[in-house]
Amino acid sequence: MPQATLKLSQSYRTPLIASLRTSNPSSSDEWTKRFSLCAQRILSAVVFRETAFGSFKKTGSAVLPPIGFYYSLFHMGVAMLCVDYATPLTQLKQMKHARLQGLLKSKLVQRSLLKARYVKTLEKAQELREHINYVFGGKRIKDPYFIKQAIPVWHEKIGIQFQAALMFIKAVQEEYIATHGWTVPTIAGSIGDDIGDDAFAMYLSATEKKRVVRYLIKNDLTT
């Protein structure tokens, strides 16, 4: 199905292309690593979102889904930073919650590559996760819905933010392919031909795998 695209500003695109075109072999290896890490994070994000919602639909329990929802946004946030030329890979190691939010704001939101809504949704998801982790009980929280009623809403809400994230990631990937040709490994190739099958076999049930693969295929994230 047709998907919305993001047009990178010239002020971002010019240094991005310069980074992609460098004749330094180590820089070329860096971009291969960037897209490999991005693919891993995207897969993690999709797995957390889809298994969280699948668990809720199967059991009706709202204990674990908010935790999975938060980490789905967390991993997708890191995935975006993986392909941001201005974010050193060293800054992505042992990522902390507050640091991720700060990097998303300074590297992407302030340069109009991502709307502030993503970070706000991430912060809200962290609040919901911490309510489950630390103060579980019958209290109301700031979310306008009770937790059980909120699960389908959150699943949809995160899906919208995923699309915003993927627009940026795919825009960078298009520049990568345009610079190096289709011989370079793509995100779909990495997930479909490399990391996906092992992850599915190790962690997912057949039903969970079906949900995850359906999302990946729908969004051109696997081969």
Side-chain angles (χ1 to χ4, degrees):
M1 62 184 301
Q3 297 181 18
T5 58
L6 173 69
K7 183 176 175 60
L8 298 173
S9 67
Q10 199 60 42
S11 62
Y12 185 85
R13 187 170 175 268
T14 298
L16 168 63
I17 293 174
S19 174
L20 292 169
R21 286 180 176 171
T22 180
S23 58
N24 186 342
S26 64
S27 182
S28 178
D29 291 343
E30 177 186 316
W31 274 102
T32 299
K33 185 175 183 179
R34 281 183 179 276
F35 276 98
S36 176
L37 291 172
C38 179
Q40 292 173 33
R41 292 289 187 162
I42 288 175
L43 181 59
S44 295
V46 174
V47 166
F48 270 111
R49 176 180 181 253
E50 294 306 315
T51 58
F53 191 54
S55 171
F56 173 73
K57 291 184 71 176
K58 181 178 180 179
T59 67
S61 172
V63 174
L64 297 180
I67 299 170
F69 285 160
Y70 170 74
Y71 282 106
S72 70
L73 285 166
F74 180 94
H75 283 292
M76 190 63 83
V78 178
M80 286 186 279
L81 293 172
C82 284
V83 294
D84 171 40
Y85 75 88
T87 303
L89 288 175
T90 53
Q91 291 189 4
L92 302 179
K93 294 181 179 179
Q94 298 180 329
M95 184 65 72
K96 304 296 183 182
H97 306 293
R99 185 153 61 91
L100 173 61
Q101 293 170 21
L103 285 171
L104 289 173
K105 291 175 184 177
S106 63
K107 301 293 187 179
L108 302 181
V109 175
Q110 290 180 11
R111 291 186 289 176
S112 300
L113 298 165
L114 180 71
K115 291 185 178 180
R117 176 59 58 187
Y118 188 99
V119 181
K120 291 178 181 177
T121 304
L122 178 64
E123 292 169 347
K124 193 78 172 178
Q126 183 177 8
E127 179 184 323
L128 183 62
R129 176 188 70 92
E130 290 175 350
H131 175 83
I132 295 295
N133 282 356
Y134 307 124
V135 290
F136 177 82
K139 299 179 182 179
R140 288 291 300 271
I141 56 174
K142 293 180 182 179
D143 194 282
Y145 301 91
F146 286 106
I147 293 179
K148 279 192 175 182
Q149 284 79 11
I151 298 304
V153 177
W154 269 99
H155 182 255
E156 181 67 22
K157 186 186 300 187
I158 292 169
I160 293 170
Q161 297 310 315
F162 272 21
Q163 291 305 308
L166 291 172
M167 281 172 60
F168 169 69
I169 291 169
K170 289 181 178 181
V172 176
Q173 180 176 246
E174 286 177 7
E175 296 293 349
Y176 182 57
I177 292 170
T179 301
H180 297 284
W182 284 99
T183 57
V184 300
T186 62
I187 291 167
S190 295
I191 294 175
D193 301 331
D194 185 13
I195 60 176
D197 288 342
D198 288 342
F200 299 152
M202 191 177 301
Y203 296 109
L204 303 185
S205 67
T207 301
E208 290 171 329
K209 176 183 175 181
K210 185 177 180 179
R211 287 187 62 91
V212 170
V213 171
R214 183 167 60 238
Y215 181 92
L216 294 172
I217 291 173
K218 181 180 178 181
N219 291 278
D220 299 321
L221 294 171
T222 190
T223 51

